[in-house]
Amino acid sequence: TWALVLSSIFGVILSRIALSKLFKTFGINIPYMKAWFEWKVIKELAFPSMLSQSLVGPVVWIGNTIIVNTQQGFIQLGLFNAANQWRLVADFLPQVLGGVLLPMVASSTTKKSNNALEAINVLAGWFIVSVLALPIMAFPEIVGWLYGKEYISDTFYNSLAIVMYVSCIISYRQGIARKLIVNNLMWW
């Protein structure tokens, strides 16, 4: 872990040096004292986002520890991680879509409400994940067959179905989360 911390610090230092050279080359002056005007954005958006993301690592670690300390825990954790890979695949497109939808939803708040954009914001990611998840939930045996004979078991099939179901819920929640960000409700 110390190597990761040191490499991150080293990367920040190198980036700062490179940016300073570019700023001088193009005559860009950064007034650092005016950065305090952004405190409201940090307090109301960045800080709660950072807090929620900082919980992910410890919660995953605790969950993995609980699974490993059960009977055949390492096997169960392997089955779960294999199923979880499919959730990550299903969540990729909605995350990319969310990067496009967030500025669109933010700009629509200054105008009158756009019902079509609101529906797309909430339902598009959910629809994409559902189209991918439902066949996997209905036929988990195909995924088990792709992974090999160690994964042909009811435990893996159930894990895969639950993980894909949770992926559908999360993709729906992402649209709601974008609306919370735009309406400055991150602490809500």
Side-chain angles (χ1 to χ4, degrees):
T1 59
W2 285 108
L4 182 60
V5 170
L6 291 175
S7 71
S8 296
I9 292 170
F10 188 65
V12 167
I13 292 169
L14 287 178
S15 296
R16 176 69 176 123
I17 292 169
L19 284 172
S20 294
K21 288 180 182 180
L22 284 172
F23 291 161
K24 285 180 184 177
T25 302
F26 293 102
I28 299 172
N29 185 19
I30 306 290
Y32 291 105
M33 294 310 291
K34 290 185 180 180
W36 289 108
F37 293 117
E38 300 299 326
W39 175 248
K40 185 177 178 186
V41 173
I42 292 170
K43 182 181 79 173
E44 294 179 3
L45 181 68
F47 188 65
S49 178
M50 182 214 48
L51 281 177
S52 67
Q53 290 300 314
S54 66
L55 290 175
V56 172
V59 169
V60 168
W61 179 76
I62 290 169
N64 288 346
T65 303
I66 291 170
I67 292 172
V68 165
N69 288 320
T70 61
Q71 186 177 5
Q72 295 182 331
F74 286 105
I75 294 171
Q76 300 302 321
L77 184 61
L79 293 173
F80 173 75
N81 284 332
N84 199 43
Q85 288 175 350
W86 288 90
R87 182 191 63 81
L88 295 173
V89 168
D91 287 346
F92 175 73
L93 284 176
Q95 286 179 356
V96 171
L97 182 66
V100 174
L101 283 172
L102 182 60
M104 292 172 66
V105 172
S107 68
S108 76
T109 59
T110 58
K111 304 171 189 170
K112 67 176 194 169
S113 181
N114 184 343
N115 291 336
L117 181 60
E118 297 290 331
I120 290 171
N121 174 49
V122 175
L123 297 176
W126 173 78
F127 179 76
I128 292 169
V129 170
S130 296
V131 165
L132 295 171
L134 290 176
I136 293 172
M137 290 168 62
F139 306 107
E141 298 83 9
I142 296 171
V143 176
W145 177 77
L146 289 172
Y147 276 128
K149 64 181 176 166
E150 296 86 12
Y151 295 90
I152 299 176
S153 69
D154 286 338
T155 303
F156 177 69
Y157 301 155
N158 292 337
S159 296
L160 183 61
I162 291 169
V163 164
M164 296 311 292
Y165 179 70
V166 168
S167 185
C168 291
I169 294 170
I170 289 172
S171 65
Y172 187 80
R173 182 202 53 88
Q174 286 173 344
I176 297 170
R178 284 188 289 274
K179 198 64 179 162
L180 291 175
I181 291 169
V182 167
N183 290 323
N184 199 20
L185 297 171
M186 288 291 287
W187 284 106
W188 183 70

